[in-house]
Amino acid sequence: MFDKLHEECGVVAIYGHPEASKLAYLSLYALQHRGQESAGVSSCDHRHIHTHKEMGHVADIFTTSVLKELPGPMAIGHTRYSTTGDTALLNAQPFSVDCNKGKIAVAHNGNLTNAVELRQDLERRGAIFQASSDTEVILHLVAHSAERTLTGALRDALLQIEGAFSLVFLAEDRVIVARDPHGFRPLAMGKLEMKDGKTGYAFASETCAFDLIDAVYLNDVQPGEMVCVGPEGVTRERFAPEQPRSQCVFEHVYFSRPDSMVFGRSVHESRENLGRFLAREAPADADIVVPVPDSGVAAALGYSSESGLPFRLALIRNHYVGRTFIEPSQAIRDFGVKLKLNPVRHLLEDKRVVLVDDSIVRGTTSRKIVRMMRNAGAREVHLRISCPPTISPCFYGVDTPTRNELIAANNSIEEIRRYVEADSLAYLSLKGLARAVKDDKSEYCYACYTGDYPTDLVSVAQLLATSR
Ligand code: AMP
């Protein structure tokens, strides 16, 4: 029914700018790291909703001629990493419908934990689904709602869905955005000051999108809040009772860009803290600190400044690796990793290295990188991971494999060390992680490190996913 439960995505919404679709496209450009499989933009010129979505990268999809077909002062956009096989384009977003509540388009970052039950119920009531993405469920709930107004129907739909959602909706005369009551995924609000003195608004998963389009970051859409921007101005309302917050800590560990503000704090600052605390908790007798680029860079900087060991960029990343490459028929050992990363022999020869990365998932990448360092002359490799061991899959929108495939779910740290062939291995503690993001009020979700999920996972799909 649902191809895949784990969707990593980026969303954007623009209101009140003559070139809204262009700003949405530029924002998606800045959010490309949140999903590389497909991207789409819907715009509205007060009469029609125009949508263009394709498989591939933002830069390749949106040409001048494509953007010309997306007119109007309002737009939403989506970039997606997910799914396999033929259904992938069908599941690309935004989804757009013309229903009894008018023309609506939606884009979603997150994962609904009760999508299976809702879909079965809707199908019993005659709903026909085109895609296997849980986002389509939301549109059906809106269409089926007994509420007469769009905002009423949205409120109704939002109260029925559970799990993680940062949603952007486009209607004929307005943009509406909402964030789930736990606030799993980020959603920031910004202001666009135009030359003619008019004000527009922008919403995006991360503030790095605002920097590119000259939007000023105002604040976050609050958990459980719906913000509506239309001809009457901006209205903000709480659609659900207050719940404990469960902001995804992995956004700060890995997922977001370091130049973004996420959940109101600098991602770079969090990552440097992760590295600093890691250096305190797990020092190493070594000569240099080397990050796995790009994910380990900020943490390695923190580790280096705390430990006093020099920071060296001794692994170089090729940023132009596409999705397909032609491998020689005679196998080259560790080809995939070699294509992406290459060591600087000059910096590594005879050195004892602290290698810093953000996480070990299956362990295969770390093992290849450790080998690569040794082949380039490193005498010792001490692997340091800037978060605790990943032991549980995410059901709130981060792509993690099943528990069976998570190396830390099934092995001790010493067993993992042996597998990745490091001289020593240490992870940051849970306490260290919480301190690094200044989680004084217990507002973050750590389920991937603890297995304690902040919501009920009643959906059959969750059970299927864990046993897959
Ligand atoms: P693995 O070989 O499975 O241990 O992969 C670990 C690498 O994957 C690390 O270098 C991480 O930066 C990266 N990584 C961790 N989590 C994710 C994720 N959810 N999506 C994509 N890459 C990830």
Side-chain angles (χ1 to χ4, degrees):
M1 184 186 281
F2 294 104
D3 280 359
K4 200 161 183 233
L5 281 159
H6 319 300
E7 288 199 12
E8 293 174 353
C9 306
V11 292
V12 57
I14 306 289
Y15 180 89
H17 190 284
E19 295 182 292
S21 64
K22 268 193 194 155
L23 296 203
Y25 144 77
L26 290 171
S27 303
L28 291 183
Y29 220 115
L31 299 176
Q32 182 73 83
H33 61 287
R34 297 183 71 87
Q36 297 89 42
E37 192 185 73
S38 66
V41 168
S42 292
S43 76
C44 185
D45 53 8
H46 292 292
R47 281 181 304 153
H48 299 292
I49 289 184
H50 310 265
T51 300
H52 186 91
K53 48 189 179 181
E54 266 185 55
M55 303 301 293
H57 287 190
V58 176
D60 302 322
I61 298 171
F62 296 99
T63 58
T64 312
S65 55
V66 165
L67 287 167
K68 259 200 196 127
E69 302 300 314
L70 296 168
M74 296 166 273
I76 59 170
H78 189 261
T79 178
R80 173 172 209 256
Y81 165 82
S82 183
T83 69
T84 46
D86 308 338
T87 56
L89 184 58
L90 264 183
N91 283 318
Q93 299 190 25
F95 286 120
S96 169
V97 288
D98 192 350
C99 69
N100 55 356
K101 308 292 182 310
K103 298 184 179 86
I104 331 166
V106 63
H108 172 206
N109 174 208
N111 181 55
L112 305 186
T113 52
N114 63 341
V116 172
E117 294 92 318
L118 288 173
R119 182 168 167 147
Q120 282 166 347
D121 187 49
L122 284 159
E123 280 176 335
R124 270 193 296 272
R125 287 152 64 192
I128 296 167
F129 284 79
Q130 290 176 8
S132 58
S133 157
D134 56 359
T135 310
E136 212 184 351
V137 168
I138 301 166
L139 286 178
H140 280 285
L141 290 174
V142 172
H144 276 78
S145 170
E147 293 284 336
R148 302 263 289 277
T149 64
L150 175 61
T151 33
L154 278 181
R155 208 178 289 124
D156 203 14
L158 294 175
L159 283 169
Q160 293 176 68
I161 58 178
E162 287 169 17
F165 53 90
S166 282
L167 288 162
V168 293
F169 295 92
L170 178 66
E172 280 158 71
D173 64 345
R174 64 196 56 229
V175 155
I176 302 170
V177 306
R179 208 166 147 219
D180 69 75
H182 294 279
F184 283 104
R185 308 254 68 90
L187 189 59
M189 178 174 180
K191 200 173 183 177
L192 291 158
E193 304 281 10
M194 260 108 34
K195 281 197 192 103
D196 58 7
K198 288 194 179 135
T199 301
Y201 289 91
F203 299 87
S205 299
E206 291 179 42
T207 60
C208 64
F210 295 164
D211 298 337
L212 185 57
I213 61 170
D214 273 343
V216 179
Y217 172 45
L218 294 176
N219 47 41
D220 286 346
V221 176
Q222 293 302 298
E225 188 183 38
M226 179 162 92
V227 183
C228 180
V229 195
E232 69 286 350
V234 180
T235 51
R236 306 181 73 138
E237 70 163 275
R238 171 163 277 291
F239 66 84
E242 199 159 336
Q243 299 263 12
R245 287 194 187 197
S246 309
Q247 301 163 159
C248 171
V249 79
F250 197 59
E251 292 278 352
H252 278 271
V253 170
Y254 168 81
F255 203 45
S256 296
R257 262 172 49 164
D259 51 337
S260 286
M261 297 287 289
V262 165
F263 309 130
R265 68 175 273 115
S266 155
V267 174
H268 188 272
E269 190 189 345
S270 295
R271 282 196 198 152
E272 261 202 56
N273 282 346
L274 294 171
R276 278 180 195 285
F277 299 156
L278 186 58
R280 278 185 219 162
E281 289 182 14
D285 200 3
D287 304 310
I288 56 173
V289 178
V290 175
V292 175
D294 296 325
S295 53
V297 172
L301 280 168
Y303 195 103
S304 164
S305 63
E306 187 69 23
S307 63
L309 297 174
F311 173 89
R312 294 284 180 264
L313 276 175
L315 274 172
I316 302 302
R317 181 165 171 184
N318 184 336
H319 287 268
Y320 308 98
V321 179
R323 38 189 58 229
T324 52
F325 38 76
I326 302 150
E327 265 192 82
S329 49
Q330 287 271 308
I332 293 178
R333 201 155 48 87
D334 302 335
F335 183 78
V337 167
K338 275 186 184 163
L339 193 69
K340 217 165 139 186
L341 296 170
N342 199 36
V344 184
R345 181 172 280 275
H346 166 74
L347 292 173
L348 292 170
E349 228 146 36
D350 213 29
K351 291 287 191 303
R352 296 169 304 161
V353 177
V354 177
L355 180 66
V356 180
D357 201 359
D358 69 283
S359 45
I360 299 178
V361 182
R362 294 181 176 86
T364 47
T365 313
S366 307
R367 179 184 167 106
K368 288 172 184 174
I369 297 172
V370 171
R371 258 190 214 166
M372 185 182 266
M373 308 288 278
R374 286 202 207 281
N375 289 338
R379 187 146 51 91
E380 290 173 18
V381 181
H382 301 275
L383 185 57
R384 295 292 179 269
I385 302 298
S386 62
C387 65
T390 308
I391 57 159
S392 265
C394 177
F395 297 115
Y396 308 114
V398 171
D399 184 30
T400 31
T402 59
R403 194 167 274 125
N404 290 343
E405 295 165 275
L406 288 170
I407 192 168
N410 307 293
N411 294 278
S412 68
I413 292 178
E414 173 53 20
E415 284 165 336
I416 302 170
R417 183 200 67 75
R418 258 185 273 139
Y419 177 77
V420 301
E421 297 171 359
D423 292 283
S424 74
L425 167 66
Y427 291 83
L428 184 68
S429 68
L430 198 60
K431 226 168 145 185
L433 173 59
R435 269 188 61 213
V437 296
K438 287 218 166 55
D439 187 15
D440 313 328
K441 295 189 238 155
S442 298
E443 292 184 331
Y444 280 82
C445 173
Y446 302 94
C448 52
Y449 308 119
T450 60
D452 293 334
Y453 295 96
T455 64
D456 285 340
L457 297 170
V458 287
S459 195
V460 184
Q462 318 304 336
L463 298 174
L464 286 178
T466 36
S467 60
R468 210 166 31 182

